[in-house]
Amino acid sequence: MIRNSFSRYFHVLILALLTVGSAPVSAAPNASVKNQLQADINGSWRAPENRARDKYRHPLQTLMFFGVKPDSTVIELIPGNKLWYAEILAPFLHDHGHYIAANQKSNSEDTGQKDRMAMERAQFDKAEIREFDFNAPDFGPPDSADFFLTFRNVHNFAMNHKEDALFAAIYKVLKPGGVLGVVDHRAADGKTLDEVLKSGYLPQPFVVAAAEKAGFKLVATSDVNRNHKDNTDHPKGVWTLPPTLREGDKDREKYLTIGESDRFTLKFVKPK
């Protein structure tokens, strides 16, 4: 576990933004949670390039759908260098909850240092980084987290046939009644995993079956991250679309018009 340093100025700034106009956490109704989430989504500390993607990633609706509360212990799988959801979740959980970033162990000490520096730049003193082995993931003590959230990561495990190990490790770390929230690129209806394995897209039934195999129960689905403009048939898979735009200038406007990928949003619960 690695605890991150934090500048006093941003510590005070975030505390002020989280407390002004908010009801006590112990009695916070959904409206208060929604307002606090929106305040963090609007936070001045968020990178402009991250904020520009809100229209595709729908953070308020997605996090409300998962039911995250400010007094929760939340593990996010591989936040990435942009720390997209970390910029929202770490301040949201700062006062009464606990934000944990689960990062893949690297063979490069430099890469690990860059990850830590990235968390420090996000200015979240209570955020925690836990490193795990991709081939044998372990996310922390059993029954210790309220939520485990993964945004566009399951396809990486599926491409390496490690989805069973992933979901088993998530099931282990979540408390009974804990929530697994999954967002990932949705393959076209009827496609098998083998047909889309290298595209970044995943068949939704495949993900549901893998999670249920680990013991989870699917309790709700949402179309909040659905994009009907995306037919999922692209020369370089999901990475053809923004934000990657792997084709460069070729058909750039076409892909910008489509926007980011079509995504499923799934809510699972670990039975009590």
Side-chain angles (χ1 to χ4, degrees), residues 178-200:
V179 171
L180 164 62
V182 180
V183 178
D184 220 311
H185 312 289
R186 187 199 326 260
D189 290 345
K191 291 289 186 179
T192 66
L193 179 64
D194 288 341
E195 289 176 307
V196 299
L197 191 60
K198 295 182 179 180
S199 71

Side-chain angles (χ1 to χ4, degrees), residues 114-132:
K114 287 178 181 177
D115 286 344
R116 292 191 289 274
M117 289 174 64
M119 288 296 288
E120 289 172 359
R121 284 197 300 272
Q123 310 298 340
F124 306 139
D125 64 330
K126 293 184 180 179
E128 179 185 340
I129 296 175
R130 292 180 184 171
E131 295 186 336
F132 68 91

Side-chain angles (χ1 to χ4, degrees), residues 235-247:
K236 294 184 178 177
V238 70
W239 302 282
T240 310
L241 299 176
T244 307
L245 294 168
R246 195 164 285 178
E247 289 279 83

Side-chain angles (χ1 to χ4, degrees), residues 51 74 105 134 154 164-165 170 174 180-181 192 209 219 221 242-243 272:
R51 192 189 305 276
V74 178
K105 285 182 181 177
F134 184 86
V154 175
D164 286 348
I170 298 172
L174 278 174
L180 164 62
T192 66
V219 293
T221 65
K272 293 183 179 181

Side-chain angles (χ1 to χ4, degrees), residues 134-185:
F134 184 86
N135 294 309
D138 185 343
F139 299 117
D143 303 336
S144 61
D146 300 297
F147 291 84
F148 193 104
L149 306 180
T150 168
F151 304 98
R152 301 166 18 259
N153 288 300
V154 175
H155 66 273
N156 293 315
F157 286 83
M159 289 171 71
N160 291 279
H161 305 291
K162 299 294 183 182
E163 69 278 357
D164 286 348
L166 170 67
F167 285 115
I170 298 172
Y171 191 89
K172 177 182 175 183
V173 77
L174 278 174
K175 299 174 182 177
V179 171
L180 164 62
V182 180
V183 178
D184 220 311
H185 312 289

Side-chain angles (χ1 to χ4, degrees), residues 256-271:
L256 286 173
T257 298
I258 293 172
E260 296 193 15
S261 66
D262 181 29
R263 296 162 186 167
F264 52 74
T265 305
L266 311 175
K267 181 177 180 179
F268 298 90
V269 169
K270 176 178 177 177

